[in-house]
């Protein structure tokens, strides 16, 4: 299609008056990135008018802007118009783009515009011809006739004989350097010298299963993949999230996928890119820009154009490490950027790792979520067996203990690769492994502080700060608490110094001349709790930041604990595996109850506007505003969880969490009067409109396509589904119980209310026990305050 035809068809729908030159320029502006915008200033109004009329070729401008085009930008431009515009555009371009529809018009037009520019620039299927070298005939060797060609009276070698540089992937240099970087690792045991990756790695099993931490209940069958590769994962989905707790080996797993895929890249034609999401900032323009800048860290010569062409050709596998490490301020923009990216460059596999997070990836509707499973006992033994440890006797004894009892008694530690390594170190130093998490980390720190290096296992070298390990931990704990509060996980020397300067201000260490740089050297060189990559410093694992933050919080004076409790209550970017508060509670349970739980419950239970049974309903609306009743087979369900972090902590620590019993409640028939969502089983390929675009004639559908089914809400059923397959079978329903409605229309829903007001109803039982706990805690506190005795016998 010629640009003239493209622009004039666009104009018929979205120009809405104005001059042709301004409209034409605006269309170029919509597809060119910010870096390429100055190129557009080089052309006059008459040029843009000529582009519109077809009297001026777009070849030169296309050649200049080709490296700066981004179809995502153009798709966003089209999507800003009202929905009716997409319908009109799909009608106007239906002859040029057979599969265009109102749902994909923006993406299809962006693809067409890119094709027009690329073709006009003379780059489509027209590789640059290199001059062929002339050949001097050799009387002895000659040359095969089919490998020679005469041009202008000169004999040249045919193209198949010349250097095949044009076929070399533009990503070769990137892959060579990235593979070299990731093929060795520094770990807790090998902090001074990196070791070959596969000498310290055992591949975790990954599993797609229905039930996850958030309570979402997915509809696919459970799938377990051992010794995973990208190819194995791609058979299940093109878009995958690998979810796992801290230290379980998510980054190592992604490294394994990268190295195994890169090894076969030349034959497969698929290029894996390892991208660290902690580098995705508020200032990042979009996903393409992020990919390009990440790849440039290994190959500064690679062009943005090469990235875009590979994406358009569906040649890339994006391995995105650490979604949970994106700062909360940038996370929402990343979600929208990624959604737009997938629309523009669909078909490129994306595998992303993350800790479990609060919203459980609700925004990533196209992604299948796999859990990276804890190490099994054979895997744990295999990993320890691989590790090069300084004490063979201690290692062998640990493996025997791990096999006989430690794996079962300390499963939470032994099944986690990082904690398993710390277990080995702690066991060799103390002959045991503590069961309490905070005690475990305390012993781990003591072990790491006493070790000289991984080859000798003895303490010889003093800290740069000249502090004892106990003194050092006090300052480091405050540093961790400050950075934990600010959600900071990485530092350059300047930012580290800024935080540590605040910690040291007015301290004995400062007056002794100890500098933040001394702390940084100890953390990286001696203690190995942090490590350096380039000019950036990281915790060897986030769990150390959480432990030391808990140490600092637990050491604060009593009155400040209430403020610390308020901080945890108000945390927005909390993930499910954060153990900071749990460890603090284990360290000082009585203080947490008195100075955090008591003020919180005082405010919660005495702040209700009404007393009696209405107090209970106000509590429900405050903590459990929505309940769900499920019947049959449904696609999504959610664990019932209170709104408040501190309330949830109270019922967990005091064993008063009865919400899980809600599923066994026998509801009155009046429950069916509430809003209901019906679920139906449909063919997976046709759960969205894309399937009907792919198979526009039902006769073209192969029976194998109908082997896979899924569950969706009936209201989300595509309108074409009935015409193709008839009405799908109903499988179940979800009824939403909104507490506000039950309070507002108390008489109307009196049967449901009577059921929920029964003392055996799980939430009523929980409410009454929480009130009783608050009453006893308050009495105990008042008694202690009134006593002058050292002990309250």
């Amino acid at each position: 299609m010629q640009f003239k035809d493209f622009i004039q068809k666009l104009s018929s729908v979205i120009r809405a008056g104005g001059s042709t030159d301004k409209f034409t320029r605006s269309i170029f502006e919509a597809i060119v990135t910010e870096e390429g915008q100055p190129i557009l200033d080089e052309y006059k109004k008459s040029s843009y008018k000529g582009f519109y009329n077809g009297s001026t070729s777009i070849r030169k401008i296309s050649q200049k802007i080709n490296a700066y085009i981004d179809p995502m930008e153009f798709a966003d431009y089209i999507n800003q118009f009202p929905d009716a515009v997409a319908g009109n555009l799909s009608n106007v371009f239906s002859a040029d783009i057979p599969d265009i529809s109102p749902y994909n018009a923006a993406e299809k037009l962006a693809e067409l515009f890119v094709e027009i520019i690329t073709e006009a620039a003379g780059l489509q299927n027209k590789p640059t011809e290199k001059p062929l070298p002339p050949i001097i005939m050799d009387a002895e060797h000659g040359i095969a006739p089919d490998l020679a060609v005469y041009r202008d009276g000169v004999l040249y070698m045919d193209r198949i004989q010349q250097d095949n540089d044009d076929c070399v992937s533009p990503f070769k240099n990137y892959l060579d350097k990235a593979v070299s970087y990731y093929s060795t690792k520094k770990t807790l045991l090998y902090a001074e010298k990196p070791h070959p990756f596969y000498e310290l790695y055992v591949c975790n099993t990954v599993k797609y299963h229905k039930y996850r931490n958030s309570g979402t209940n997915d509809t696919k069958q459970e799938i377990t993949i051992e010794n995973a590769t990208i190819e194995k994962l791609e058979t299940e989905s093109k878009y995958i999230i690998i979810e796992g707790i801290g230290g379980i080996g998510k980054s190592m797993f992604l490294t394994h996928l990268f190295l195994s895929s890169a090894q076969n890249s030349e034959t497969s034609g698929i290029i894996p890119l390892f991208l660290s999401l902690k580098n995705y900032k508020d200032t990042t323009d979009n996903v393409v820009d992020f990919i390009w800048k990440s790849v440039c860290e290994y190959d500064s010569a690679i062009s943005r154009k090469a990235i875009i062409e590979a994406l358009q050709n569906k040649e890339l596998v994006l391995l995105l490490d650490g979604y949970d490490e994106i700062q909360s301020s940038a996370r929402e923009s990343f979600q929208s950027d990624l959604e737009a990216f997938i629309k523009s460059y669909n078909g490129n596999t994306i595998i992303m790792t993350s800790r479990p997070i609060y919203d459980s990836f609700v925004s990533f509707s196209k992604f299948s979520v796999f859990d990276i499973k804890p190490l099994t006992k054979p895997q744990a033994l295999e990993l320890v067996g691989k590790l090069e440890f300084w004490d063979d006797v201690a290692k062998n004894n640990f493996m025997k203990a791990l096999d006989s009892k430690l794996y079962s008694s300390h499963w939470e530690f032994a099944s986690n690769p990082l904690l398993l390594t710390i277990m080995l170190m702690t066991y060799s130093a103390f002959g045991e492994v503590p069961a309490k998490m905070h005690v475990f980390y305390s012993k781990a720190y003591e072990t790491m502080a006493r070790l000289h290096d991984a080859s000798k296992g003895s303490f010889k070298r003093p800290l740069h700060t000249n502090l004892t390990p106990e003194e050092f931990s006090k300052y480091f704990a405050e540093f961790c608490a400050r950075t934990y509060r600010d959600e900071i996980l990485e530092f350059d020397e300047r930012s580290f110094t800024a935080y540590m300067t605040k910690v040291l201000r007015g301290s004995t260490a400062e007056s002794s001349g100890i500098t933040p740089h001394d702390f940084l050297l100890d953390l990286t060189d001696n203690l190995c709790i942090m490590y350096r990559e380039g000019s950036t410093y990281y915790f060897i694992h986030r769990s150390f930041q959480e432990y030391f933050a808990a140490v600092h919080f637990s050491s604060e004076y009593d009155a400040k604990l209430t403020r610390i409790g308020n901080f945890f209550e108000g945390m927005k970017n909390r993930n499910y595996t954060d153990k900071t508060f749990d460890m603090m509670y284990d360290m000082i349970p009585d203080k947490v109850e008195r100075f955090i739980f008591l003020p919180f419950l005082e405010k919660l239970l005495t702040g209700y506007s009404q007393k009696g049974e209405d107090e209970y309903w106000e509590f429900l609306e405050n903590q459990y505003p929505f309940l769900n009743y499920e019947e049959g087979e449904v696609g999504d369900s959610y664990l019932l969880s209170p709104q408040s972090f501190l309330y949830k902590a109270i019922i967990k620590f005091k064993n008063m969490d009865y919400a899980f019993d809600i599923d066994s409640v026998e509801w009155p028939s009046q429950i069916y009067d509430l809003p209901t969502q019906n679920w139906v089983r449909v063919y997976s390929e046709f759960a969205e409109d894309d399937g009907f675009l792919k198979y526009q004639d039902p006769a073209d559908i192969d029976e194998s396509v109908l082997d896979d089914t899924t569950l969706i809400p009936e209201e989300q059923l595509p309108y074409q589904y009935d015409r193709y397959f008839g009405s799908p079978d109903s499988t179940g329903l979800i009824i939403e119980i909104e507490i506000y409605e039950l309070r507002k229309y108390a008489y109307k829903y009196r049967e449901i209310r009577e059921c929920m007001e029964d003392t055996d109803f799980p939430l009523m039982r929980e409410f009454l026990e929480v009130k009783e706990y608050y009453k006893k805690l308050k009495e105990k506190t008042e008694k202690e305050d009134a006593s002058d005795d050292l002990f309250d016998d």
Side-chain angles (χ1 to χ4, degrees):
M1 186 179 196
Q2 297 298 310
F3 178 76
K4 176 187 71 171
D5 301 319
F6 177 75
I7 192 73
Q8 290 180 8
K9 286 189 175 185
L10 281 179
S11 176
S12 68
V13 178
I14 63 175
R15 181 174 156 199
S19 62
T20 57
D21 60 277
K22 286 183 178 179
F23 176 72
T24 305
R25 170 156 180 162
S26 70
I27 295 302
F28 278 111
E29 288 174 343
I31 201 167
V32 173
T33 63
E34 186 176 347
E35 294 91 338
Q37 293 292 332
I39 296 172
L40 302 180
D41 296 333
E42 299 173 10
Y43 292 85
K44 299 178 180 179
K45 291 182 179 180
S46 57
S47 297
Y48 288 109
K49 187 173 182 179
F51 297 153
Y52 183 91
N53 296 327
S55 59
T56 303
S57 170
I58 66 165
R59 183 173 64 87
K60 288 186 178 181
I61 190 173
S62 295
Q63 289 173 340
K64 290 183 177 182
I65 67 172
N66 194 63
Y68 304 100
I69 58 174
D70 187 347
M72 288 172 55
E73 300 272 355
F74 191 75
D76 289 342
Y77 169 78
I78 296 296
N79 282 327
Q80 73 179 345
F81 292 99
D83 293 342
V85 170
N88 292 336
L89 286 170
S90 62
N91 290 332
V92 169
F93 283 91
S94 59
D96 308 290
I97 311 173
D99 58 346
I100 194 171
S101 75
Y103 305 103
N104 66 9
E107 289 74 34
K108 291 296 180 181
L109 289 171
E111 290 175 10
L112 177 58
F113 196 5
V114 170
E115 183 180 321
I116 290 169
I117 292 173
T118 306
E119 186 173 345
L123 300 172
Q124 193 173 51
N125 300 321
K126 293 180 181 179
T128 304
E129 298 246 344
K130 292 186 178 181
L132 294 167
I135 298 175
I136 300 174
M137 291 295 290
D138 187 314
E140 181 180 351
H141 300 99
I143 187 168
D146 58 341
L147 297 182
V149 61
Y150 281 95
R151 294 181 189 164
D152 301 324
V154 180
L155 181 65
Y156 292 86
M157 285 185 67
D158 190 74
R159 178 156 296 279
I160 75 169
Q161 284 294 100
Q162 72 166 337
D163 291 337
N164 201 23
D165 291 341
D166 286 340
C167 296
V168 175
S169 167
F171 294 91
K172 184 179 185 307
N173 197 32
Y174 163 80
L175 288 175
D176 289 345
K177 291 185 177 180
V179 166
S180 175
Y181 178 79
Y182 287 108
S183 60
T184 60
K185 283 279 185 182
K186 283 186 178 181
T187 69
L188 207 53
L189 289 180
Y190 313 123
E192 297 186 357
K193 180 183 177 182
H195 268 52
F197 175 80
Y198 283 106
E199 289 185 12
L200 47 87
Y201 178 68
V202 172
C203 187
N204 302 65
T205 300
V206 294
K207 187 175 184 180
Y208 187 108
H209 69 135
K210 294 186 176 183
Y211 197 63
R212 293 196 293 277
N213 283 335
S214 66
T216 54
N217 187 356
D218 294 332
T219 58
K220 285 189 177 182
Q221 295 298 312
E222 291 190 354
I223 301 164
T224 298
I225 300 177
E226 297 180 354
N227 299 313
T229 62
I230 288 174
E231 291 73 21
K232 287 182 181 180
L233 292 169
E234 283 180 325
T235 61
E236 304 303 331
S237 176
K238 297 289 284 185
Y239 307 113
I240 287 176
I241 292 172
I242 303 293
E243 180 186 65
I245 62 173
I248 198 69
K250 299 181 294 297
S251 294
M252 296 284 276
F253 179 79
L254 218 59
T255 302
H256 157 66
L257 293 182
F258 172 74
L259 291 175
S260 59
S261 179
Q263 190 176 29
N264 303 317
S265 180
E266 286 189 14
T267 54
S268 68
I270 299 301
I271 301 145
L273 304 181
F274 194 106
L275 311 169
S276 182
L277 287 176
K278 63 176 176 279
N279 297 324
Y280 204 98
K281 308 295 184 184
D282 288 326
T283 54
T284 303
D285 290 336
N286 50 53
V287 175
V288 173
D289 185 61
F290 171 69
I291 296 170
W292 177 47
K293 290 178 180 176
S294 299
V295 173
C296 282
E297 291 181 6
Y298 296 91
D299 180 11
S300 59
I302 200 160
S303 68
R304 202 170 187 278
K305 174 177 172 289
I307 302 286
I308 292 174
E309 286 183 350
L311 289 169
Q312 290 169 344
N313 294 330
K314 300 176 173 56
E315 295 173 349
L316 298 185
V317 173
L318 307 182
L319 303 172
L320 308 178
D321 189 34
Y323 167 71
D324 58 298
E325 294 185 15
I326 301 175
Q327 284 190 305
S328 54
S329 58
R331 192 172 290 176
E332 187 175 340
S333 63
F334 170 75
Q335 291 174 0
S336 58
D337 288 349
L338 187 63
E339 184 178 359
F341 171 82
I342 291 173
K343 288 180 180 178
S344 295
Y345 301 106
N346 63 82
N348 295 279
T349 298
I350 300 175
I351 301 174
M352 180 166 64
T353 64
S354 179
R355 281 189 177 195
I357 57 173
Y358 183 75
D359 61 13
S360 187
F361 317 111
V362 171
S363 303
F364 300 100
S365 58
K366 287 187 175 293
F367 282 75
S368 298
V369 181
F370 279 73
D371 284 333
I372 185 166
K373 303 304 292 180
L375 295 175
T376 62
K377 186 197 287 187
Q379 288 172 332
L381 289 168
E382 181 185 354
L383 178 58
V384 176
K386 283 188 172 189
L387 298 177
E388 184 182 317
F389 196 61
W390 54 78
D391 187 338
D392 289 336
V393 174
K395 174 181 168 179
N396 291 333
N397 289 338
F398 175 71
M399 290 184 70
K400 290 176 183 176
L402 186 67
D403 190 24
S404 63
K405 59 180 181 180
L406 281 181
Y407 184 85
S408 299
S409 62
H410 291 68
W411 178 85
E412 188 174 2
F413 302 145
S415 61
N416 182 299
L418 173 69
L419 301 184
L420 178 62
T421 304
I422 298 175
M423 275 183 75
L424 169 60
M425 297 167 63
T426 305
Y427 186 88
S428 70
F430 296 98
E432 64 174 359
V433 180
K436 284 278 190 181
M437 182 167 284
H438 73 95
V439 181
F440 172 75
Y441 276 105
S442 173
K443 295 295 184 185
Y445 169 72
E446 187 175 344
T447 302
M448 296 161 74
R450 301 293 178 190
L451 293 181
H452 167 52
D453 59 32
S455 62
K456 297 181 180 178
S458 58
F459 180 77
K460 292 183 178 180
R461 180 173 53 204
L463 297 177
H464 289 283
T465 54
N466 290 315
L467 297 171
T468 66
E470 293 73 23
E471 291 169 332
F472 186 95
S473 68
K474 178 174 177 273
Y475 294 109
F476 184 56
E478 182 177 343
F479 171 86
C480 288
R482 286 176 176 274
T483 55
Y484 175 84
R485 178 197 62 186
D486 294 344
E487 300 179 37
I488 303 298
L489 290 168
E490 61 180 73
F491 314 86
D492 56 22
E493 187 154 1
R494 182 177 179 180
S495 60
F496 180 92
T497 299
Y499 275 104
M500 189 55 76
T501 298
K502 292 178 181 178
V503 173
L504 297 176
R505 187 173 296 144
S507 68
T508 305
E510 184 183 47
S511 61
S512 301
I514 300 173
T515 67
H517 184 69
D518 294 328
F519 276 89
L520 193 55
L521 288 175
D522 282 337
L523 287 166
T524 53
D525 296 350
N526 292 337
L527 299 171
C528 304
I529 293 177
M530 297 184 75
Y531 66 97
R532 176 180 176 176
E533 282 186 4
S535 60
T536 307
Y537 297 84
Y538 306 93
F539 291 102
I540 192 163
H541 196 267
R542 186 192 303 180
S543 57
F544 280 95
Q545 184 195 40
E546 293 173 2
Y547 163 70
F548 279 103
V551 168
H552 177 76
F553 291 144
S554 67
S555 68
E556 288 285 46
Y557 54 87
D558 296 344
K560 198 170 184 179
L561 283 173
T562 303
R563 298 212 304 267
I564 291 171
N566 293 337
F567 161 70
F568 278 99
E569 176 69 10
M571 276 183 71
K572 295 180 180 178
N573 192 28
R574 181 184 295 112
N575 65 67
Y576 279 93
T577 60
D578 188 324
K579 299 296 184 183
T580 311
F581 190 87
D582 295 42
M583 287 190 282
M584 182 179 72
Y585 178 80
D586 272 348
M587 293 172 189
I588 50 167
D590 292 337
K591 285 190 174 185
V592 169
E593 289 192 53
R594 175 167 181 170
F595 296 104
I596 296 180
F597 290 171
L598 181 59
F600 169 78
L601 289 175
E602 182 88 34
K603 183 178 179 181
L604 178 72
L605 297 176
T606 64
Y608 295 128
S609 58
Q610 301 183 44
K611 302 300 178 184
E613 71 177 32
D614 281 335
E615 183 183 35
Y616 165 63
W617 286 99
E618 199 166 340
F619 157 78
L620 287 179
E621 190 171 349
N622 181 276
Q623 291 300 326
Y624 300 101
F626 296 95
L627 313 181
N628 282 333
Y629 167 70
E630 297 175 13
E631 199 173 273
E633 190 179 12
V634 298
D636 292 328
S637 62
Y638 297 90
L639 280 176
L640 185 59
S641 183
Q643 299 290 297
S644 163
F645 172 82
L646 289 179
Y647 179 83
K648 186 175 182 179
I650 291 168
I651 60 175
K652 178 178 73 172
F653 293 138
K654 307 311 291 185
N655 296 314
M656 297 184 293
D657 185 0
Y658 299 118
F660 59 86
D661 288 336
I662 205 82
D663 292 337
S664 61
V665 170
E666 293 187 11
W667 294 93
S669 59
Q670 192 181 43
I671 198 79
Y672 297 104
D673 295 340
L674 295 173
T676 301
Q677 182 184 63
N678 292 305
W679 285 77
V680 293
R681 182 169 292 283
V682 300
Y683 298 118
S684 300
E685 184 74 26
F686 301 94
E688 297 182 4
D689 293 309
D690 292 350
F692 299 98
L693 295 173
K694 186 175 179 181
Y695 299 97
Q696 297 192 19
D697 185 346
D700 294 337
I701 302 172
D702 189 274
E703 288 189 10
S704 62
V705 176
L706 306 181
D707 289 341
D708 189 20
T709 62
T710 189
L711 294 174
I712 64 171
E714 190 174 36
E715 68 265 20
Q716 294 180 13
L717 189 69
Y719 73 91
Q720 308 100 313
Y721 196 92
D722 287 357
R723 181 169 63 85
Y724 272 56
F725 308 108
S727 298
D729 294 332
S730 178
T731 61
L733 56 85
I734 297 177
I735 296 176
E736 183 179 81
I737 306 165
E738 185 180 359
I739 303 302
Y740 172 79
E741 290 293 311
L742 298 187
R743 293 188 70 194
K744 184 177 180 180
Y745 303 104
Y747 181 77
K748 178 181 179 181
Y749 296 114
R750 61 185 182 280
E751 294 176 27
I752 298 175
R753 285 174 59 97
E754 287 173 3
C755 172
M756 295 177 65
E757 289 169 355
D758 190 285
T759 53
D760 287 333
F761 187 77
L763 297 183
M764 173 60 89
R765 190 161 77 250
E766 179 179 298
F767 175 66
L768 294 175
E769 289 193 16
V770 168
K771 285 186 68 176
E772 184 64 21
Y773 166 69
Y774 162 67
K775 178 183 175 183
K776 290 181 177 179
L777 182 59
K778 186 175 182 180
E779 289 174 352
K780 176 186 174 185
T781 302
E782 290 173 347
K783 180 181 177 182
E784 290 172 352
D785 289 344
S787 174
D788 293 327
D789 199 347
L790 287 175
F791 304 99
D792 297 314
D793 296 328

